[in-house]
């Protein structure tokens, strides 16, 4: 059974930082590219960025950093200088293809972790 489990969300004051984790099981994690997304209340899901199997990163939003540790089957989203508008549920997703449209067609999804940034 494939699972992606996000963790590390919570309540943080504006200007603070959080590091989200995405732990994968049931897949050969090193063979998958990982995307991060977020969805704020009443808004459409937004693509935050992605990381390739070999840790190439693109489309990542300003103030955010994406990384991965294939030995731990985990990807990370480091978020710095957080703002209230960063409040959302954050999701990770995985897919094999890199060349497909960056923010779509992911095969596996996590359940999400809530990030709330207070002003």
């Amino acid at each position: 059974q494939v699972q992606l489990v996000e963790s590390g969300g919570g309540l943080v004051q504006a200007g603070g930082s959080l590091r989200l984790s995405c732990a994968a099981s049931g897949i050969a994690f090193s063979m998958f590219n990982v995307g991060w997304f977020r969805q704020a209340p009443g808004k459409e899901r937004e693509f935050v960025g992605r990381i390739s199997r070999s840790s190439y990163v693109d489309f990542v939003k300003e103030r955010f950093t994406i990384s991965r540790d294939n030995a731990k089957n985990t990807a990370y989203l480091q978020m710095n200088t957080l703002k209230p508008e960063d409040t959302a549920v954050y999701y990770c997703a995985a897919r094999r293809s890199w060349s497909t449209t960056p923010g779509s067609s992911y095969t596996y999804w996590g359940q999400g972790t809530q990030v709330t940034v207070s002003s």
Side-chain angles (χ1 to χ4, degrees):
Q1 181 183 359
V2 178
Q3 279 192 310
L4 298 179
V5 179
E6 300 94 338
S7 61
L11 175 64
V12 62
Q13 288 189 333
S17 298
L18 282 175
R19 188 177 79 157
L20 306 184
S21 298
C22 171
S25 60
I27 57 173
F29 181 70
S30 62
M31 299 301 293
F32 282 78
N33 303 294
V34 175
W36 283 95
F37 297 80
R38 66 184 181 184
Q39 188 165 21
K43 295 188 176 181
E44 292 188 354
R45 186 175 64 201
E46 180 183 18
F47 179 55
V48 173
R50 65 173 181 169
I51 185 167
S52 75
R53 293 175 288 184
S54 59
S55 296
Y56 174 77
V57 176
D58 63 8
F59 298 100
V60 64
K61 290 192 173 293
E62 185 180 2
R63 297 180 286 110
F64 293 2
T65 302
I66 299 175
S67 61
R68 67 189 294 163
D69 185 340
N70 287 338
K72 296 183 178 180
N73 292 339
T74 302
Y76 304 97
L77 177 65
Q78 176 70 42
M79 305 184 295
N80 298 324
T81 320
L82 283 162
K83 303 177 179 181
E85 51 263 45
D86 294 318
T87 295
V89 177
Y90 284 73
Y91 300 88
C92 66
R95 69 183 192 192
R96 286 188 178 272
S97 171
W98 179 252
S99 60
T100 308
T101 304
S104 66
S105 303
Y106 284 80
T107 307
Y108 302 111
W109 289 83
Q111 83 291 345
T113 186
Q114 176 70 48
V115 171
T116 303
V117 183
S118 63
S119 57

